[in-house]
Amino acid sequence: MELAIMKLDSNTDETTREMLQKLVEKKRKFDIIKTRHLFVMWLTIIVGFFYAYWLYKHIAVPFSHSFAIMFSIFIAKTFNLYALCLIVGSFGFMNVLKQKKDKAEKEYHELRCEIIDKAKDLWKKEEEWKSRHHVFYMMKKEYDINLFHETK
């Protein structure tokens, strides 16, 4: 369990701490997948741009007088097959990561909203209810998780 969650005062029970721990884990999973998706997206864009530039410089400009010659030169070089497979594969991987990112974001957001909705049940006593903002501030400060509002 996270040290900041373990250090919470006695107004926060063990069940609430477990829920907060799961929320932190889901947030970290979402952040990792989001970073990977962003990396693969930019990698795909950069590799695609440099490949298009290479095609323009080495095939389109020198052989622009005939499409048939351009096509035969394009087919003759095996580098083009590997480059296209790399670009199409990274594009497909980017889409898979996008789906995983959306799923992780949905799971994280649902758990966050559940904690917000169940706040009255998690901090039942009047004393606990009045001190819950300390937990919310700690979650915002330590883990960048907003428990004050349900909207993203």
Side-chain angles (χ1 to χ4, degrees):
M1 187 172 288
E2 296 292 320
L3 188 61
I5 294 174
M6 286 175 49
K7 286 184 177 180
L8 290 173
D9 58 4
S10 62
N11 291 330
T12 307
D13 65 345
E14 194 61 33
T15 305
T16 306
R17 291 174 197 222
E18 286 295 323
M19 288 179 76
L20 294 173
Q21 178 64 32
K22 289 291 180 189
L23 185 64
V24 170
E25 291 170 6
K26 295 217 182 267
K27 168 83 166 140
R28 286 194 178 138
K29 178 182 174 186
F30 167 65
D31 288 341
I32 289 170
I33 293 174
K34 182 179 173 183
T35 304
R36 287 180 184 166
H37 173 257
L38 196 61
F39 175 75
V40 171
M41 180 182 69
W42 281 109
L43 182 72
T44 302
I45 290 170
I46 290 169
V47 169
F49 174 76
F50 281 119
Y51 179 65
Y53 179 75
W54 184 87
L55 280 178
Y56 176 75
K57 256 330 209 188
H58 292 92
I59 294 179
V61 171
F63 305 105
S64 62
H65 57 278
S66 172
F67 179 76
I69 293 174
M70 275 193 330
F71 187 71
S72 65
I73 296 292
F74 178 80
I75 297 295
K77 296 186 179 189
T78 57
F79 168 76
N80 292 319
L81 174 66
Y82 296 130
L84 285 175
C85 286
L86 175 73
I87 292 170
V88 169
S90 64
F91 182 76
F93 186 55
M94 178 186 71
N95 288 333
V96 167
L97 285 176
K98 171 76 169 136
Q99 291 172 350
K100 284 186 176 186
K101 182 186 83 137
D102 291 343
K103 181 182 176 192
E105 181 180 19
K106 181 181 176 210
E107 289 174 356
Y108 160 67
H109 185 67
E110 284 176 354
L111 183 58
R112 192 177 68 80
C113 289
E114 183 179 341
I115 291 174
I116 293 169
D117 290 339
K118 290 184 176 182
K120 289 181 181 176
D121 296 332
L122 297 173
W123 291 276
K124 292 178 186 175
K125 298 176 187 170
E126 185 69 27
E127 179 184 317
E128 292 174 352
W129 180 255
K130 288 180 179 177
S131 67
R132 79 188 186 291
H133 68 281
H134 295 297
V135 175
F136 291 3
Y137 281 126
M138 182 276 300
M139 292 298 285
K140 180 67 176 164
K141 182 181 161 206
E142 296 289 325
Y143 307 108
D144 194 32
I145 297 174
N146 184 4
L147 294 175
F148 290 103
H149 303 288
E150 283 189 26
T151 57
K152 295 180 185 179

